Amino acid sequence: MAEMESFETGEKSETLELPESKGSPSKIASPESKDSANVPTFPQLLNNPPASSRAPANAASVQDLEEEPALARSFDRSTSPTTPLHHKAGAVYKKVGEDGVCKMHKYSLYETATRYYVVGGDIMDSRFRVLKIDRTADSGDLSIAEDEIVYTKTEMNQLLNAIDDGNKASGGMKLKCSMWGLLGFIRFTGAYYMLLITKRSQVAMIGGHYVYQIDGTELVQLTTSNPSRFKLDRNPEEARFLGILSNLDLSRSFYFSYSYDITRTLQHNLAHERAGLRRTSDGVTETDFNAMFVWNDYLLEPAVGVLKNTYDWCLPIIHGYVDQAALSVYGRIVYITIIARRSRFFAGARFLKRGANDLGYVANDVETEQIVQEVLTTSFHAPGPKLFASPNFTSYVQHRGSIPLYWTQDNTGVTPKPPIELNLVDPFYGAAALHFDNLFERYGAPVYVLNLVKARERTARESKLLKEYTNAVTYLNQFLPNDKKIIYKAWDMSRASKSPDQDVIGTLENIAEEIVKTTGFFHNGDNGINKVTMQNGVARTNCIDCLDRTNAAQFVIGKRALGHQLHALGIINETCVDYDTDAVNLFTHMYVILELYHGALLILRFHDHGDTIAVQYGGSHLVNTMETYRKINQWTSHSRDMVESFKRYYNNSFLDGQRQEAYNLFLGNYIFAQGQPMLWDLSTDYYLHHSDPRAWSEKRRPGYINWYTPAHLAQKVFHPSDISGFLSKKPANYFDDFWLEYYRPLAVSSFQKIFSFRMNSPWRYIPFKSTQEGKYDLSPFRVRVGAEPEMVEKKKGRKGVTIVEPQDGDSDATTSHLSVNSRGPAHRWLHPQGNEKNSNFPSIMKETSQEKGLLPSDKGPASQWTLDQFVKQSLDPAITATEAEEYRRYISHPLSLPLVASTETPPNPNLEFLDYVRGISPDAMASVHYTEDDLADYTEFLTISDDPLTVTEADAPKKRYKAYRQWLKGKSLFKQQRVEQ
């Protein structure tokens, strides 16, 4: 208990740390390149590469590496006779909240003929609670009873045995399934259903609290298992509603956490916890989930009405993207976490949800937060004790969303780019006013708007929205205080990317620096030596779809903020990080790259931020990636862009309707009612996402001048973390159960199964052989466009493959071996290689004096061609004698036939031609049958005039000119049927 009451000062999970050299400074700057004569000596790696550095080949092996199995274990119930459970007079049982935080992490579902029993247990399997659900209630009612008593394992075992004994006559009590939590309850036309989380996987750890991705769910009907009654309840409409709900795959990009509020930003969570310590007498803060990002909010409504501790049983989930990676800086471990939260308001597919609704909610509304933390300690607390005051946590938040105007695109046609229509021109811009007021409430002021739509087009599409959006911001700004006005920046990024003389990334870097300095970023502290800095305001980025261009701009803004966050943590001296460094490449992988290469293709569990957001809204991955805007993409990426464009077009045209119906049903936008049309009968879902016009008269709308709420413009306040009274004597686990969740006392595990050890990190791909002599700079801030020449290790080529240097005249050939290393253009950081422009690099050129070349199977050496070698080979080609003879035979082949056919043998005929003519047997000629008409047609065909290229009127009736006659009538020459000769 002494260890639990103290604040830890070390990180248990990171065991393979890079040893720090003596006298190395605490702040690391990117080292400059040096001459090869003065090769610096860098720290060496003394450990071997981890066996788990490569991603598992299949999903089963991924589950085996989890610290806990993907499938939950049921309650360890003893079937042996136990002492009956008797409540002794005067006995005192613990209740919920009496002993601080008591979070349940695993659940077991038992069933009898009349009830369901949900048994929840904490992570230590020492405290348990029970939830009872009545299965005999009417189909429209939900009867749930919660037991607030916290049981021990023995007491829970006795309680379950007593329930089993009491139901022996009806079959007893059976275990139905084990689960990781409840998502809520939903009904369509009849009885309620209970949605369960049956499978999960760890994706991030924040302050000792794990974030999980849902990998499997199950829908359980809350009715008695009577076959006849079941058939009566399952009507055709019910089955169709279940089919629509099944179109929503909850095992993709849905996340939850037991003890950390992932619906809120880190800044809000820590501020809320500090305020709760000062506001409440027991130090336990109330839940404050952001309903905007709780995607199962509709499923939680029935439970909220009947349960006192709803969120102890039902877990709120977000939809979006979560990823985490580790960065090692000479032994100092930094975690980079990206959390993208998609709004459930006005949610839908690309062409079906555009612009904003009359409540101010926009389509494709995504909040992206990047958390950078130095893992000196695990929890949010600082020594002292100073609760929720650790200075090792920073975060930055940005926002994307559709243009907040009333506009749509009709995709009922076949065009991939439907015309943009402004459905309603509001002179007071009510939807935009509500939207920006909501942004002020969530993030404060100012709001920096980065508009990336096209400004000049042949046919006005996006430019129409540019003008209207500019007018909206201008109108709204005239009523805001001078220091709180909306900062508006419009830039045609698409045109700039196509212009060879414009630097897209350089322009975005300047804009990003201005944004970060304007809004600031959050850095936690204790308001003592470590001051707290707050983020006030947000960068709002948009293009027409808020996908490709927006993702590239958000990446550059996030990269700029990353430099400021690392500088605030004391990791680097400057506030910027260069491209092509391990740190930025790792950040790029989290934002834009889906796959990692290390000798072979590794498909990791981490889902890319930009691709995931694009799939959720547009139906395909990003079409234009960061390589496109950095203008370093190769020609092979064009085919990939075409495929993604086609996939996006196909999904938008044929599959988005089904996905939209699933969204409307799951989110509660459509609720079944007797006498109302069915979901699949609606011609449009416009009224499902907009307010009822009949309720406008009852609701007070904001003014046209005072459209904003003044309280939302106030600066964010961060309370100190001082506590007094009896709370100052409480241990840290009283306020925060991070110790049990992360360290898992008394649990037997291994390093390979700990999430922090398995986390993606650049040091897993460092060439360890290069570090043995101290020639490899381990700094993640070193630019690795091409590694130093002395680091290139020439590996022995495959047996039988000899790479020959080109020689002049009859000089002897000098052979060298080629090092085969697969390398993609976007994966330089995984493969430090020598400078390709070095003249000592082996070339792949054929030997001119000998007829030697690469075999077709030797594709490895062929992939190592450089641009210089390709150009030299093109300008000074060399062919062998065999190739020359083959080419001579090709050009001498009788392909140029005479215009007029002749029966005479041509002079100097080719032997192959004569063999073909003489090979026709008499039997074959005898089998040819023809009529007099055929002979007349053939004779006419052989009759050639003096000027065969001129068509006269006498030639018009001939069959050979049938297609020509049709063409003269205006019909297409290429759509005619074949003319019979």
Side-chain angles (χ1 to χ4, degrees):
M1 291 299 293
E3 293 181 350
M4 295 180 63
E5 295 177 3
S6 63
F7 293 85
E8 76 284 8
T9 59
E11 174 60 39
K12 91 158 185 183
S13 62
E14 193 61 56
T15 58
L16 292 182
E17 296 183 348
L18 306 181
E20 187 172 345
S21 60
K22 295 182 180 181
S24 60
S26 59
K27 299 181 180 181
I28 307 299
S30 300
E32 299 178 357
S33 61
K34 299 183 179 181
D35 297 335
S36 58
N38 300 322
V39 179
T41 301
F42 299 103
Q44 302 179 16
L45 290 180
L46 304 180
N47 58 285
N48 294 324
S52 60
S53 62
R54 292 175 177 267
N58 49 49
S61 56
V62 172
Q63 299 172 11
D64 295 339
L65 290 177
E66 295 286 349
E67 192 169 2
E68 287 189 346
L71 300 176
R73 295 191 181 96
S74 60
F75 174 74
D76 189 12
R77 179 186 168 197
S78 174
T79 57
S80 60
T82 58
T83 306
L85 181 64
H86 298 290
H87 294 280
K88 298 180 181 179
V92 178
Y93 292 90
K94 292 182 179 180
K95 292 187 176 181
V96 178
E98 291 183 353
D99 195 17
V101 178
C102 178
K103 295 289 184 180
M104 294 180 290
H105 288 253
K106 57 187 70 175
Y107 304 82
S108 299
L109 180 62
Y110 293 91
E111 63 175 339
T112 64
T114 57
R115 289 180 177 84
Y116 279 123
Y117 294 91
V118 181
V119 177
D122 65 353
I123 198 168
M124 295 295 294
D125 283 335
S126 59
R127 293 181 291 182
F128 299 89
R129 295 164 60 186
V130 180
L131 185 70
K132 182 175 65 176
I133 304 174
D134 190 1
R135 303 178 62 187
T136 60
D138 295 336
S139 60
D141 297 333
L142 182 63
S143 177
I144 307 177
E146 179 184 9
D147 191 350
E148 293 192 29
I149 297 178
V150 179
Y151 296 93
T152 64
K153 190 171 186 177
T154 302
E155 293 170 345
M156 179 55 63
N157 199 19
Q158 294 175 352
L159 178 62
L160 294 179
N161 288 339
I163 297 175
D164 190 11
D165 294 338
N167 290 271
K168 287 293 185 183
S170 57
M173 183 178 63
K174 300 178 181 178
L175 174 67
K176 183 172 181 62
C177 65
S178 301
M179 55 185 174
W180 295 112
L182 296 173
L183 290 180
F185 304 88
I186 188 173
R187 66 182 296 263
F188 308 117
T189 62
Y192 271 95
Y193 295 86
M194 178 170 54
L195 192 57
L196 315 176
I197 303 175
T198 58
K199 203 174 181 181
R200 71 176 190 188
S201 59
Q202 298 170 338
V203 293
M205 188 277 296
I206 306 174
H209 306 278
Y210 281 112
V211 179
Y212 300 91
Q213 176 178 323
I214 298 177
D215 293 332
T217 58
E218 182 178 351
L219 196 65
V220 178
Q221 188 176 18
L222 300 184
T223 57
T224 54
S225 57
N226 189 335
S228 60
R229 179 176 178 178
F230 181 82
K231 291 180 181 179
L232 290 176
D233 291 343
R234 184 65 63 87
N235 51 56
E237 289 79 10
E238 184 81 4
R240 188 161 183 177
F241 277 121
L242 291 173
I244 293 175
L245 186 64
S246 64
N247 290 330
L248 180 62
D249 189 2
L250 293 174
S251 63
R252 297 182 60 183
S253 305
F254 285 89
Y255 306 90
F256 70 94
S257 178
Y258 295 104
S259 52
Y260 180 76
D261 185 3
I262 57 176
T263 66
R264 298 281 189 178
T265 63
L266 178 65
Q267 174 176 301
H268 181 277
N269 287 337
L270 296 184
H272 178 69
E273 293 290 346
R274 287 195 182 188
L277 294 176
R278 299 170 59 88
R279 183 175 60 250
T280 60
S281 58
D282 56 358
V284 179
T285 57
E286 298 179 355
T287 57
D288 186 31
F289 298 112
N290 190 350
M292 187 177 196
F293 303 114
V294 180
W295 270 63
N296 58 334
D297 183 80
Y298 173 66
L299 280 72
L300 296 176
E301 289 181 0
V304 171
V306 295
L307 294 179
K308 182 179 180 181
N309 305 292
T310 304
Y311 300 106
D312 289 352
W313 301 97
C314 301
L315 302 172
I317 61 174
I318 66 170
H319 184 38
Y321 170 80
V322 177
D323 190 11
Q324 189 174 55
L327 190 68
S328 180
V329 188
Y330 293 114
R332 300 178 65 178
I333 308 301
V334 177
Y335 285 175
I336 302 176
T337 310
I338 294 179
I339 302 177
R341 308 173 180 93
R342 177 177 293 278
S343 172
R344 67 181 178 90
F345 299 130
F346 205 50
R350 180 188 179 197
F351 287 133
L352 301 181
K353 289 294 167 286
R354 290 297 213 188
N357 62 4
D358 54 7
L359 299 177
Y361 299 116
V362 297
N364 199 18
D365 189 317
V366 181
E367 173 187 278
T368 302
E369 178 184 17
Q370 62 185 56
I371 301 174
V372 181
Q373 64 181 96
E374 185 178 4
V375 196
L376 293 176
T377 57
T378 302
S379 68
F380 296 124
H381 317 298
K386 297 179 180 179
L387 298 177
F388 305 100
S390 174
N392 301 322
F393 289 85
T394 65
S395 74
Y396 183 77
V397 181
Q398 48 185 323
H399 175 270
R400 75 169 70 184
S402 187
I403 298 177
L405 301 172
Y406 297 112
W407 63 280
T408 58
Q409 279 184 284
D410 185 10
N411 69 328
T412 55
V414 295
T415 173
K417 293 184 178 181
I420 295 176
E421 300 179 4
L422 278 167
N423 307 101
L424 175 64
V425 179
D426 183 4
F428 304 104
Y429 302 101
L434 291 173
H435 173 68
F436 282 108
D437 189 37
N438 179 258
L439 292 182
F440 289 146
E441 179 183 7
R442 290 156 59 184
Y443 310 110
V447 173
Y448 196 110
V449 176
L450 180 58
N451 188 10
L452 303 175
V453 300
K454 298 177 181 178
R456 296 174 59 185
E457 299 173 293
R458 293 182 179 179
T459 303
R461 294 178 64 256
E462 299 183 15
S463 55
K464 294 190 296 185
L465 296 178
L466 172 64
K467 180 180 178 180
E468 193 69 15
Y469 195 15
T470 305
N471 295 337
V473 175
T474 304
Y475 171 82
L476 298 177
N477 262 341
Q478 61 183 333
F479 307 114
L480 287 171
N482 291 330
D483 59 336
K484 307 295 182 182
K485 290 185 181 295
I486 302 172
I487 304 174
Y488 182 76
K489 174 71 174 180
W491 180 50
D492 191 343
M493 182 176 173
S494 178
R495 187 178 186 85
S497 65
K498 297 176 182 178
S499 177
D501 58 344
Q502 292 197 36
D503 184 7
V504 177
I505 300 301
T507 305
L508 287 177
E509 286 279 356
N510 297 332
I511 297 175
E513 182 65 21
E514 180 184 355
I515 289 174
V516 175
K517 289 183 177 180
T518 302
T519 62
F521 63 95
F522 170 67
H523 185 196
N524 195 25
D526 54 7
N527 283 328
I529 299 178
N530 301 303
K531 298 293 184 180
V532 178
T533 59
M534 305 283 289
Q535 178 178 347
N536 286 280
V538 71
R540 187 197 189 278
T541 310
N542 71 268
C543 53
I544 196 66
D545 293 321
C546 299
L547 296 180
D548 299 348
R549 285 169 281 176
T550 298
N551 194 76
Q554 282 201 337
F555 165 77
V556 177
I557 298 173
K559 169 188 167 294
R560 206 71 184 183
L562 175 65
H564 284 269
Q565 291 174 280
L566 293 173
H567 175 73
L569 294 175
I571 304 297
I572 58 178
N573 292 329
E574 305 296 334
T575 58
C576 62
V577 186
D578 295 330
Y579 285 95
D580 298 310
T581 59
D582 290 351
V584 173
N585 285 330
L586 178 69
F587 196 63
T588 306
H589 277 250
M590 301 174 72
Y591 257 90
V592 252
I593 305 299
L594 177 64
E595 300 164 345
L596 298 178
Y597 286 82
H598 182 57
L601 182 64
L602 302 183
I603 306 298
L604 299 187
R605 293 186 305 110
F606 299 104
H607 297 285
D608 141 76
H609 170 261
D611 279 339
T612 304
I613 298 301
V615 168
Q616 293 169 5
Y617 183 65
S620 71
H621 296 96
L622 291 173
V623 175
N624 298 314
T625 62
M626 276 301 299
E627 290 185 350
T628 303
Y629 296 109
R630 289 185 65 188
K631 301 180 180 179
I632 60 175
N633 60 324
Q634 296 188 355
W635 64 271
T636 54
S637 64
H638 297 312
S639 59
R640 179 254 180 204
D641 296 344
M642 294 176 59
V643 171
E644 295 302 331
S645 299
F646 177 76
K647 288 170 58 179
R648 184 174 295 183
Y649 170 73
Y650 176 80
N651 282 277
N652 297 156
S653 301
F654 303 104
L655 302 181
D656 281 356
Q658 301 177 8
R659 189 151 53 100
Q660 188 65 55
E661 287 185 346
Y663 281 151
N664 293 334
L665 189 63
F666 182 79
L667 295 175
N669 299 325
Y670 173 86
I671 301 176
F672 171 78
Q674 291 290 345
Q676 298 296 325
M678 292 295 180
L679 176 61
W680 48 86
D681 293 333
L682 296 176
S683 59
T684 177
D685 63 347
Y686 175 87
Y687 298 102
L688 302 180
H689 294 269
H690 292 73
S691 61
D692 189 349
R694 294 171 294 185
W696 288 356
S697 59
E698 305 174 0
K699 189 175 182 180
R700 182 177 177 274
R701 299 180 65 85
Y704 297 128
I705 297 179
N706 299 322
W707 57 268
Y708 61 92
T709 305
H712 297 166
L713 303 180
Q715 292 287 329
K716 304 292 183 181
V717 179
F718 217 70
H719 297 280
S721 59
D722 299 333
I723 55 177
S724 59
F726 81 100
L727 293 179
S728 60
K729 301 179 181 179
K730 292 290 184 179
N733 63 319
Y734 179 84
F735 307 94
D736 187 4
D737 63 346
F738 74 94
W739 181 276
L740 296 179
E741 184 173 0
Y742 181 69
Y743 287 96
R744 303 178 185 270
L746 306 180
V748 179
S749 184
S750 61
F751 285 117
Q752 285 76 12
K753 293 185 178 181
I754 297 175
F755 174 75
S756 299
F757 180 83
R758 296 183 291 105
M759 192 182 302
N760 186 34
S761 177
W763 60 267
R764 292 185 177 275
Y765 308 98
I766 290 177
F768 286 86
K769 292 182 179 180
S770 302
T771 65
Q772 295 178 356
E773 299 178 359
K775 295 182 179 181
Y776 190 89
D777 189 355
L778 299 175
S779 172
F781 309 108
R782 176 64 181 267
V783 177
R784 305 193 192 278
V785 175
E788 293 76 10
E790 65 271 13
M791 291 170 46
V792 179
E793 298 181 5
K794 294 184 179 181
K795 301 179 183 179
K796 183 176 294 186
R798 290 184 298 174
K799 188 178 266 188
V801 178
T802 303
I803 310 304
V804 183
E805 293 285 346
Q807 302 293 329
D808 295 332
D810 298 333
S811 59
D812 295 335
T814 303
T815 60
S816 61
H817 296 287
L818 175 68
S819 174
V820 181
N821 285 322
S822 300
R823 177 187 176 201
H827 317 295
R828 301 184 182 92
W829 67 287
L830 298 184
H831 302 284
Q833 296 184 353
N835 190 349
E836 294 179 349
K837 295 183 180 181
N838 187 6
S839 59
N840 295 328
F841 193 89
S843 62
I844 305 179
M845 302 288 287
K846 293 185 179 180
E847 184 179 358
T848 57
S849 59
Q850 299 180 10
E851 297 180 6
K852 294 184 179 180
L854 295 179
L855 300 177
S857 60
D858 300 329
K859 298 180 180 179
S863 64
Q864 301 298 317
W865 276 41
T866 63
L867 179 60
D868 293 340
Q869 294 166 340
F870 178 78
V871 172
K872 182 183 294 185
Q873 176 73 359
S874 302
L875 297 178
D876 187 16
I879 61 174
T880 63
T882 304
E883 292 174 335
E885 176 63 21
E886 183 180 356
Y887 181 72
R888 188 192 63 78
R889 292 181 58 193
Y890 170 75
I891 61 176
S892 63
H893 196 274
L895 294 179
S896 303
L897 298 177
L899 181 63
V900 180
S902 174
T903 58
E904 298 179 359
T905 303
N908 301 323
N910 188 279
L911 296 180
E912 295 181 1
F913 177 74
L914 292 179
D915 293 341
Y916 170 75
V917 173
R918 294 169 182 173
I920 302 178
S921 62
D923 296 337
M925 297 298 298
S927 61
V928 177
H929 300 283
Y930 56 89
T931 62
E932 293 296 333
D933 295 337
D934 296 335
L935 184 59
D937 293 339
Y938 183 67
T939 304
E940 180 186 354
F941 175 77
L942 294 178
T943 303
I944 304 298
S945 62
D946 296 336
D947 189 4
L949 298 180
T950 302
V951 180
T952 62
E953 295 182 359
D955 298 328
K958 297 181 180 179
K959 289 186 178 181
R960 69 174 71 179
Y961 299 108
K962 181 180 180 180
Y964 180 68
R965 293 196 304 270
Q966 298 293 337
W967 178 75
L968 290 176
K969 295 179 180 179
K971 296 185 179 181
S972 174
L973 184 64
F974 301 100
K975 293 184 179 180
Q976 307 299 327
Q977 298 293 331
R978 184 177 180 180
V979 179
E980 298 180 358
Q981 300 295 343

